């Protein structure tokens, strides 16, 4: 994300911690009253502490569902804000359920006029979307409307670990810089707000208004069911439909992540829903009444685990329409943990028929691209299929060593169906808007690599956000590659092995890895022998997105170096390499 929009505010100004009374009521519940003078009540968090339920009661309002907070017991890792500005001058009561009165977090909670921080944490991405604070997972409800790309996302405002699922919200006019907007959907009596999609109801089929933005999401309570909410102010606020859920649970435990779009052929809305290890399609004339159309998935693709976050959309290949069905699954990815598979075929408005291809096919062979889906309502004149994924993996997402926030999205990518010489695949490439972020492009002389070569300085003032473009041509070389290195001997290694036909990324020695023992696992991608490999590598502090041969193979990986990688090394065990068209672009 561009820095410019965050030049605002610095410093954590804690104004006062006045609480007017602390009392113990029934059981072990502690209630603390605050006479509100400031904008926020800050609650101290310690990630290792067990979760505690917190209720906020204010005039005419009580949290309908208590929040889960890792309330500080022994130390304060960071604070989470409860926004209380609208109750200035009035009394707000925080009730901690089943907690001792002497708990550190109860006593240190305080009022503050500002909740902001430098926004310059070491691993804060510069050009990828990350939540301002708190936890984020899947992108949700991505939809374009009147010049704005809307990104909603799975969001926990009360901690940097998964929980309290809300829909956070941000908008962008160019897909590269994002403006944070208030959270739109909070947990209610039907449950937490899990993943889903948003549509623009151009013909007012639901009766919420012409061009209403309608969110279709999973209410995750005792069971999972699909609910809707609508906005008539361009996504700024949503009203939940009073007759939710619109698609009740039929007795399937994993029944979630509705992706809805208008289907021209069937002249109705079609929903792709993850149903255990299949995708079930439902149809509706009005977004409220849903009928089952068909079910896809048995006996095809990877069934290593539960299927999540499907997306079905048309694309054009060779002048003809083909349909792509994306399905995430966790665990069971080709390199462990979370990953996204896809199918290519035809959809007649009712049934998806896959082409005969060597499934499973994976959208990204890195370990850090999950639960991605595509934007709805991109104008026909644009015609692109734009994808964003969550740049993490359930194996370790809750432990990555970032401060104040956890997780970022992949760069927005344009998907296409292409032929890889053997069969059709879905390629991904950064959207063209990303080119506008290039700054100080430096072209380097071509290199002839005989065993080893090093570019000792990538950039003069390397702040960890840059792009490398080059083409690598092996000459009688079987095993060869390149790496990003720093002066601390940390290395992120990219290896081609023509004898096995695999390309791999090794982040074992790339910096901090010990926060989770599955983080250091290697990752491989099948990459046939090619004459030349065209490389594009986008690095943004703690992430690297690799696109080989125009996105035929894509690998996304996190890494946490203790100093920015400012060297590029090449090696070949036998033979030689020609490295040409080398460009190092700083990213502003
Ligand atoms: C995928 C997922 C979804 C679910 C959401 C909950 O990462 O597990 O299936 O809706 O996350 O946050």
């Amino acid at each position: 994300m561009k820095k410019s929009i965050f030049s605002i505010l610095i410093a954590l100004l804690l104004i006062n911690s006045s609480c007017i009374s602390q009392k113990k009521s029934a059981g072990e519940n502690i209630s603390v009253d605050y006479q509100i003078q400031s904008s926020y009540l800050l609650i101290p968090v310690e990630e290792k502490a067990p979760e505690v339920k917190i209720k906020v009661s204010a005039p005419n309002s009580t949290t309908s569902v208590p929040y889960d907070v890792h309330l500080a017991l022994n130390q304060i890792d960071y604070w989470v804000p409860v926004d209380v500005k609208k109750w200035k001058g009035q009394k707000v009561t925080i009730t901690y359920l089943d907690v001792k009165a002497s708990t550190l977090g109860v006593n240190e909670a305080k009022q503050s006029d500002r909740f902001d921080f430098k926004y310059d944490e070491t691993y804060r991405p510069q050009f990828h979307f990350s939540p301002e604070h708190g936890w984020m997972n899947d992108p949700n409800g991505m939809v374009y409307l009147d010049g704005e790309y809307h990104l909603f996302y799975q969001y926990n405002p009360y901690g940097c670990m998964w929980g309290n699922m809300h829909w956070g919200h941000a908008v962008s006019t160019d897909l590269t810089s994002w403006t944070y907007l208030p959270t739109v959907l909070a947990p209610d009596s039907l449950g937490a707000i899990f993943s889903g999609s948003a549509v623009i109801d151009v013909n007012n089929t639901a009766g919420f208004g012409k061009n209403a933005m309608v969110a279709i999401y999973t209410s995750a309570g005792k069971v999972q069911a699909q609910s809707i909410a609508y906005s008539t102010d361009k996504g700024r606020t949503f009203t939940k439909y009073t007759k939710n859920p619109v698609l009740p649970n039929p007795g399937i435990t994993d029944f979630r992540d509705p992706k809805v779009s208008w289907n021209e052929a069937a002249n109705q809305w079609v929903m792709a829903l993850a149903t255990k290890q299949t995708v079930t399609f439902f149809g509706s004339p009005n977004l409220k009444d849903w009928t089952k159309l068909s079910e896809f998935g048995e006996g095809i693709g990877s069934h290593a685990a539960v299927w999540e976050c499907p997306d079905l959309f048309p694309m054009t290949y060779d002048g003809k329409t083909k349909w792509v069905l994306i399905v995430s699954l966790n665990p069971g990815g080709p390199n462990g943990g979370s990953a996204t598979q896809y199918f290519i075929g035809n959809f007649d408005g009712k049934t998806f028929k896959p082409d005969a291809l060597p499934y499973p096919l994976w959208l990204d062979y890195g370990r850090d691209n999950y639960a991605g889906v595509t934007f709805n309502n991109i104008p026909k004149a644009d015609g692109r299929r734009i994808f964003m994924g969550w740049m993490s993996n359930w194996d370790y997402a809750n432990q990555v060593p970032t401060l104040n926030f956890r997780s970022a999205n992949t760069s927005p990518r344009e998907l296409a169906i292409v032929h890889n010489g053997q069969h059709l695949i879905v390629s991904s490439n950064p959207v063209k808007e990303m080119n506008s972020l290039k700054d100080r492009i430096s072209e380097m002389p071509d290199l002839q690599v005989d065993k080893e070569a090093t570019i000792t300085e990538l950039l003069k003032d390397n702040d960890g956000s840059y792009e490398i473009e080059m083409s690598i041509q092996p000459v009688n070389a079987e095993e060869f590659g390149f790496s990003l290195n720093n002066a601390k001997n940390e290395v992120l290694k990219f290896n081609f092995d023509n004898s096995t036909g695999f390309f791999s990324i090794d982040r074992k020695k790339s910096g901090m890895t010990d926060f989770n023992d599955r983080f250091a696992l290697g990752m491989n991608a099948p990459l046939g022998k090619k004459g030349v490999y065209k490389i594009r590598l986008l690095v943004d502090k703690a992430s690297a997105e690799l696109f080989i041969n125009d996105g035929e193979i894509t690998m996304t990986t996190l890494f946490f170096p203790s100093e920015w990688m400012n060297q590029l090394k090449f090696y070949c065990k036998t033979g030689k390499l020609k490295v040409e068209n080398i460009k190092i672009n700083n990213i502003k």
Side-chain angles (χ1 to χ4, degrees), residues 45-52 69-75 77:
V45 168
E46 178 186 349
E47 290 201 336
K48 292 217 164 78
E51 275 183 339
V52 157
V69 174
H70 291 270
L71 189 67
L73 270 185
N74 300 308
Q75 64 174 57
D77 294 340

Side-chain angles (χ1 to χ4, degrees), residues 481-496:
F482 61 96
S483 62
L484 292 174
N485 298 62
N486 65 17
K488 299 262 169 66
N489 281 329
E490 291 167 348
V491 53
L492 183 65
K493 198 171 156 195
F494 302 87
N495 189 62
F496 298 79

Side-chain angles (χ1 to χ4, degrees), residues 137-138 154 162 165 194-195 218 256-257 308-309 370-371 390 394:
N137 55 295
D138 317 356
Q154 287 288 279
W162 187 87
M165 281 297 110
F194 273 17
S195 288
T218 300
R256 60 176 179 267
D257 309 339
E308 301 183 315
C309 303
Y370 191 61
W390 169 49
W394 282 116

Side-chain angles (χ1 to χ4, degrees), residues 154-229:
Q154 287 288 279
Y155 184 45
N156 182 6
Y158 305 114
C160 298
M161 297 170 92
W162 187 87
N164 306 306
M165 281 297 110
H166 289 60
W167 272 26
H169 187 200
V171 288
S172 173
T173 52
D174 59 8
L175 289 168
T176 62
S177 60
W178 296 89
T179 305
Y180 295 120
L181 292 174
T183 297
V184 292
L185 295 170
D188 55 35
S189 58
L190 291 176
I193 314 295
F194 273 17
S195 288
S197 49
V199 297
I200 304 304
D201 190 5
V202 180
N203 297 321
N204 194 18
T205 62
F208 299 136
K210 195 169 159 48
N211 288 324
M213 185 185 288
V214 183
I216 307 97
Y217 58 92
T218 300
S219 291
K222 283 201 184 78
V223 295
Q224 299 180 349
Q226 316 322 314
S227 295
I228 59 175

